[in-house]
Amino acid sequence: MSLLDVRGLSVGIAGKEELLLRDVTLSLQPGEIQGVVGESGSGKTMASLALLGLLPPSVELRGGTAAIGGRTVLDASRRGVTRQVGDLTMVFQNPRGALNPTMKVGHQVRRVLTKVRGKSKGEATTETVALLRRVGIPGAERVAGSYPHQLSGGMCQRVVIAMALAYRPRVLIADEPTTGLDVTVQAQIFDLLRELVEETNCGVLFITHDLGAVAEMCDRVSVLYAGQLMETGTTIETFEQPRHPYTRFLLESLSPQESSRLTSTEEAGVDFSLPGCRFAHRCAHAFERCSDFPQLFQAGPQHLYSCFLGEEEDDVAAQRSQLA
Ligand SMILES: Nc1ncnc2c1ncn2[C@@H]1O[C@H](COP(=O)(O)OP(=O)(O)OP(=O)(O)O)[C@@H](O)[C@H]1O
Ligand SMILES: [Mg+2]
């Protein structure tokens, strides 16, 4: 059984037909770090917010379910399904925005320890300083008494990660946790994520634009484009034998240095109201079938991709086996 099992997740803008996420399927195993990649606007953050039950007011859940450890935590057809404390937490793209500006950062970490983990105040105070040290904050005691605006972005992100460590979630979503941080700090934060997984056997969805980091960190990778899951598989299989034209495009066009050059899905002119494959208008292989929404085809036991070329490949495989 998967630790996290997301099926058919769809969200749309209230009052409009457009779907920002369409029929997204994801699964995550305990102890797994899974990369989630795709250019800006592909729905990586939106999918995470949907799982957390934190969609913006103008955005609504249209379909799908999610379960953590077999227990339903999200069901578009039922209201009132909730997560349990400790199921899921997220390290946000903008760490300063994720911290309460009016509260000292040490107090924010301590609150997680007392409220979520049931620690006494004394235990929580000691553990807060230990956690801040652990995420590489020099002068942890002094920093604990600082407000977020007194700290750099990198320091704030370390505090947020200390909070995630304090939380000990079963599933952690790390949304571009190292954007804007220098390379040394990035490396430390990657190490921390790995340690967290080793220690607690949690699963991590690691959202990033950095395919090099995915190759280094992730067991599996899922590729999103314009709210559609394009491909998911082991990192090695997906990077060495990408099956979806979009994955190939992403791998060919993207080095970390170049990622800022990529257009966003809006700039690429994706029409979120069209029923077919979201990549069709940019795809060199597009054909008539692509005006329908492609199902997921299986390229291997763990390797799925959403493209009608799969149908053709299946036909060829079937013909070959008939000839054999
Ligand atoms: N509050 C909102 N209301 C309506 N649409 C939104 C809102 N926030 C984001 N969107 C749209 O939802 C889509 C997915 O956005 P999302 O922020 O999830 O992309 P992303 O993959 O996280 O991009 P990035 O890599 O830039 O962080 C985009 O088309 C975006 O314009
Ligand atoms: Mg985002």
Side-chain angles (χ1 to χ4, degrees):
M1 185 175 55
S2 299
L3 172 61
L4 172 69
D5 196 5
V6 181
R7 299 206 180 163
L9 181 65
S10 298
V11 309
I13 298 177
K16 295 191 181 175
E17 264 185 48
E18 290 154 46
L19 289 177
L20 296 173
L21 292 175
R22 176 149 187 199
D23 212 2
V24 171
T25 293
L26 284 174
S27 75
L28 182 73
Q29 306 306 316
E32 176 186 340
I33 304 183
Q34 182 171 148
V36 181
V37 301
E39 62 204 74
S40 195
S42 55
K44 305 181 296 292
T45 301
M46 200 59 87
S48 314
L49 294 177
L51 293 178
L52 282 161
L54 291 176
L55 284 172
S58 56
V59 177
E60 57 191 26
L61 190 63
R62 294 277 170 78
T65 58
I68 294 181
R71 196 181 148 271
T72 303
V73 294
L74 186 86
D75 185 340
S77 65
R78 280 197 288 152
R79 287 198 176 270
V81 180
T82 47
R83 286 177 289 123
Q84 277 176 342
V85 168
D87 272 346
L88 178 65
T89 190
M90 180 156 166
V91 172
F92 286 89
Q93 235 165 339
N94 166 11
R96 213 181 284 283
L99 292 168
N100 182 335
T102 65
M103 210 186 272
K104 290 176 180 168
V105 296
H107 188 55
Q108 300 189 48
V109 179
R110 204 158 51 231
R111 267 167 55 108
V112 176
L113 291 166
T114 52
K115 296 221 173 337
V116 177
R117 301 266 306 283
K119 303 258 173 186
S120 71
K121 277 192 173 171
E123 279 173 334
T125 304
T126 316
E127 198 170 331
T128 294
V129 175
L131 280 170
L132 292 177
R133 276 205 196 105
R134 167 118 198 255
V135 295
I137 293 180
E141 263 148 11
R142 181 183 45 80
V143 170
S146 309
Y147 290 94
H149 74 267
Q150 296 172 308
L151 302 175
S152 67
M155 279 298 171
C156 286
Q157 192 60 296
R158 288 171 199 233
V159 172
V160 172
I161 290 173
M163 282 170 77
L165 293 173
Y167 201 89
R168 288 191 167 244
R170 300 175 77 185
V171 176
L172 174 73
I173 303 178
D175 192 354
E176 300 188 44
T178 61
T179 303
L181 304 183
D182 71 50
V183 181
T184 339
V185 181
Q186 271 190 31
Q188 287 167 357
I189 287 177
F190 290 170
D191 285 345
L192 276 170
L193 286 175
R194 283 199 202 93
E195 278 170 39
L196 178 70
V197 170
E198 268 167 33
E199 252 176 57
T200 68
N201 207 31
C202 69
V204 176
L205 286 180
F206 176 62
I207 299 174
T208 181
H209 285 266
D210 183 347
L211 299 183
V214 173
E216 189 191 319
M217 293 275 291
C218 300
D219 310 293
R220 288 199 298 160
V221 61
S222 288
V223 182
L224 283 180
Y225 177 73
Q228 179 182 342
L229 176 76
M230 294 299 182
E231 183 154 2
T232 184
T234 62
T235 307
I236 294 178
E237 220 176 324
T238 310
F239 281 10
E240 289 186 356
Q241 292 174 302
R243 301 297 285 265
H244 198 289
Y246 177 65
T247 313
R248 286 188 214 131
F249 164 83
L250 197 66
L251 289 166
E252 281 160 16
S253 59
L254 245 184
S255 71
Q257 293 75 22
E258 284 175 317
S259 62
S260 56
R261 174 181 75 72
L262 263 191
T263 51
S264 69
T265 47
E266 281 97 351
E267 285 165 327
V270 176
D271 184 345
F272 286 88
S273 59
L274 286 180
C277 172
R278 298 260 163 110
F279 187 58
H281 72 296
R282 285 170 92 182
C283 181
H285 305 279
F287 62 123
E288 281 163 31
R289 278 303 259 135
C290 308
S291 55
D292 291 335
F293 193 75
Q295 65 187 86
L296 288 171
F297 290 91
Q298 191 124 25
Q302 289 193 61
H303 191 176
L304 302 169
Y305 63 112
S306 163
C307 177
F308 286 113
L309 290 173
E311 219 168 45
E312 300 217 314
E313 283 164 20
D314 282 355
D315 286 347
V316 172
Q319 282 166 14
R320 275 206 197 109
S321 66
Q322 273 172 11
L323 288 172

